[in-house]
């Protein structure tokens, strides 16, 4: 289905047939069908606005970047961006240190582009083109080989897990003022 198609363009039968095909029910058994109570066309396109700072305006969440829901990265990115911005604002307002605000866009964009790349990789892996855009037999065989590799290769599984949960994302170094000195213990 194309993003420009209305949500009701497909009959229930067509939706279940397509889902059965994608879920490989001939190999793994039938789906339990029920009524379709809501129809929505989800646009899997993405966008990133750069830079994320425009004077005193800072973009975060969907205002900063739209990411397809395929890899479930949007909410995590929004929380990370809000945390980075909150820390930077605290440092600037409490301590006069604007370094975090000045670096906000670059720090966030590193995470955003890594998530975008993984999301698009996952879309191509799981939802190869269809219809007139269907890939050549060679490209479809490559996609199937990648899926098989994820099922059988521990290193590929580790790579996938690290990118899916963001383990490889390095901790964001943040300038932080020195903690206040400890009060002497009363004796």
């Amino acid at each position: 289905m194309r993003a420009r198609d209305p949500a009701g363009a497909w009959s229930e039968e067509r939706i279940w047939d397509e889902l059965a095909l994608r879920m490989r029910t001939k190999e793994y058994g039938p789906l339990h069908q029920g009524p379709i109570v809501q129809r929505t066309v989800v646009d899997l396109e993405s966008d990133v606005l750069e830079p994320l700072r425009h004077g005193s305006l800072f973009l975060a969440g969907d205002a900063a970047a739209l990411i397809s829901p395929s890899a479930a990265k949007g909410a995590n990115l929004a929380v990370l961006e809000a945390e980075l911005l909150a820390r930077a604002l605290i440092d600037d307002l409490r301590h006069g240190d604007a370094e975090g605000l000045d670096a906000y866009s670059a720090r966030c964009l590193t995470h955003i582009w890594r998530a975008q790349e993984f999301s698009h990789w996952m879309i191509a892996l799981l939802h190869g083109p269809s219809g007139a855009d269907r890939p050549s037999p060679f490209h479809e065989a490559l996609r199937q080989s990648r899926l098989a590799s994820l099922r059988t290769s521990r290193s590929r599984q580790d790579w996938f897990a690290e990118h899916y949960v963001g383990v490889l994302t390095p901790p964001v170094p943040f300038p932080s003022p020195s903690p206040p000195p400890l009060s002497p213990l009363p004796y």
Side-chain angles (χ1 to χ4, degrees), residues 1-3 33 39-40 53 84 89 103 149 167 180 187:
M1 177 170 255
R2 298 171 308 227
Q33 295 185 15
R39 296 171 190 231
T40 305
R53 179 179 184 178
L84 292 175
L89 286 168
S149 182
V167 171
Y187 285 95

Side-chain angles (χ1 to χ4, degrees), residues 70-143:
S70 65
K73 296 287 189 188
N76 291 339
L77 281 173
V79 169
L80 174 67
E81 293 156 14
E83 178 187 4
L84 292 175
L85 184 55
R87 286 182 182 184
L89 286 168
I90 289 168
D91 284 349
D92 185 50
L93 295 172
R94 286 193 180 161
H95 310 288
D97 183 357
E99 183 180 340
L101 292 177
D102 294 339
Y104 170 77
S105 185
R107 286 183 174 141
C108 288
L109 287 167
T110 298
H111 298 280
I112 288 169
W113 282 114
R114 185 173 290 162
Q116 290 283 4
E117 191 281 328
F118 181 76
S119 178
H120 282 258
W121 173 86
M122 202 161 146
I123 288 170
L125 181 69
L126 300 177
H127 308 285
S130 61
D133 296 330
R134 186 166 292 285
S136 69
F138 175 81
H139 287 98
E140 179 58 22
L142 282 177
R143 190 175 78 81

